[in-house]
Amino acid sequence: MGYQVFVYFYNPNIFPQEEYYKRLYAEKTLCSYSNVKLIEGDYNPQEFYSAAKGYENEPEKGKRCDRCFELRLRKTAEFAKEMGINKFTTSIVISPHKNFSRLSEIGENIAQEYGLEYIAIDFKKKDGFLKTNRISKDLNLYRQNYCGCEFSVR
Ligand code: SF4
């Protein structure tokens, strides 16, 4: 089954601001290459810091990351609802460092709250991760070398 895809770029977790713009530019390049509409959400790092408050020293894959996923997936669900889109998912699952089951659980809970469907597909399977490497090399896209927030830089 085919989908009409919209990319919603909502990443207030990204630190510093220059890194945010590097990633946004890479996303814009990819969307234009794939002929997909990109909508940029607000970039207000305070929204991330409020969500991560009290969990700053958690290790990666810990509670801070759960809160971060929740914030970003909730905003995505709100955006989908506003747009009359009834399914959503996240490209976060492409990372081999992320826990697919945990992300799916968070996504499904949020989807239920908003009366939407969360598409739980592990995009890194079937050589998905290798394909993303190939595309990013072909398009000369910027590759991040840390997850995103200031706590993941250190
Ligand atoms: S390490 Fe990544 S997923 Fe975890 S809080 Fe930071 S940006 Fe979010």
Side-chain angles (χ1 to χ4, degrees):
M1 187 173 70
Y3 295 102
Q4 185 186 358
V5 177
F6 292 86
V7 169
Y8 181 57
F9 191 89
Y10 173 70
N11 294 291
N13 51 315
I14 298 175
F15 171 90
Q17 195 179 51
E18 301 82 67
E19 177 74 12
Y20 175 84
Y21 285 109
K22 278 186 195 170
R23 296 189 192 190
L24 176 62
Y25 181 74
E27 189 69 56
K28 282 184 175 167
T29 307
L30 179 64
C31 286
S32 133
Y33 166 79
S34 314
N35 206 17
V36 164
K37 191 171 165 58
L38 170 79
I39 297 98
E40 186 188 357
D42 292 337
Y43 177 58
N44 179 0
Q46 203 42 54
E47 291 175 3
F48 167 72
Y49 289 117
S50 302
K53 200 169 167 46
Y55 300 103
E56 293 85 349
N57 294 320
E58 281 277 316
E60 216 165 314
K61 295 188 180 166
K63 287 189 182 136
R64 186 187 67 245
C65 298
D66 282 359
R67 307 267 302 181
C68 179
F69 299 148
E70 223 177 293
L71 169 70
R72 290 148 77 199
L73 287 173
R74 183 172 295 284
K75 280 278 183 182
T76 307
E78 282 168 6
F79 168 77
K81 197 84 189 168
E82 257 175 54
M83 295 284 290
I85 297 168
N86 57 10
K87 299 179 203 299
F88 69 101
T89 188
T90 175
S91 59
I92 304 172
V93 293
I94 200 75
S95 166
H97 304 292
K98 299 291 175 268
N99 181 332
F100 175 72
S101 320
R102 188 69 193 113
L103 266 163
S104 302
E105 193 183 319
I106 293 172
E108 276 156 10
N109 286 341
I110 291 173
Q112 208 171 34
E113 239 183 84
Y114 287 82
L116 300 171
E117 185 187 328
Y118 178 75
I119 305 170
I121 295 177
D122 196 348
F123 296 118
K124 62 183 156 295
K125 292 253 171 87
K126 296 187 186 159
D127 286 340
F129 186 62
L130 286 177
K131 281 181 199 154
T132 60
N133 283 343
R134 219 165 26 234
I135 294 169
S136 61
K137 208 170 160 199
D138 289 350
L139 297 180
N140 200 22
L141 297 180
Y142 169 70
R143 302 295 304 265
Q144 65 198 56
N145 59 10
Y146 61 98
C147 187
C149 66
E150 69 166 287
F151 313 114
S152 62
V153 179
R154 65 189 181 203

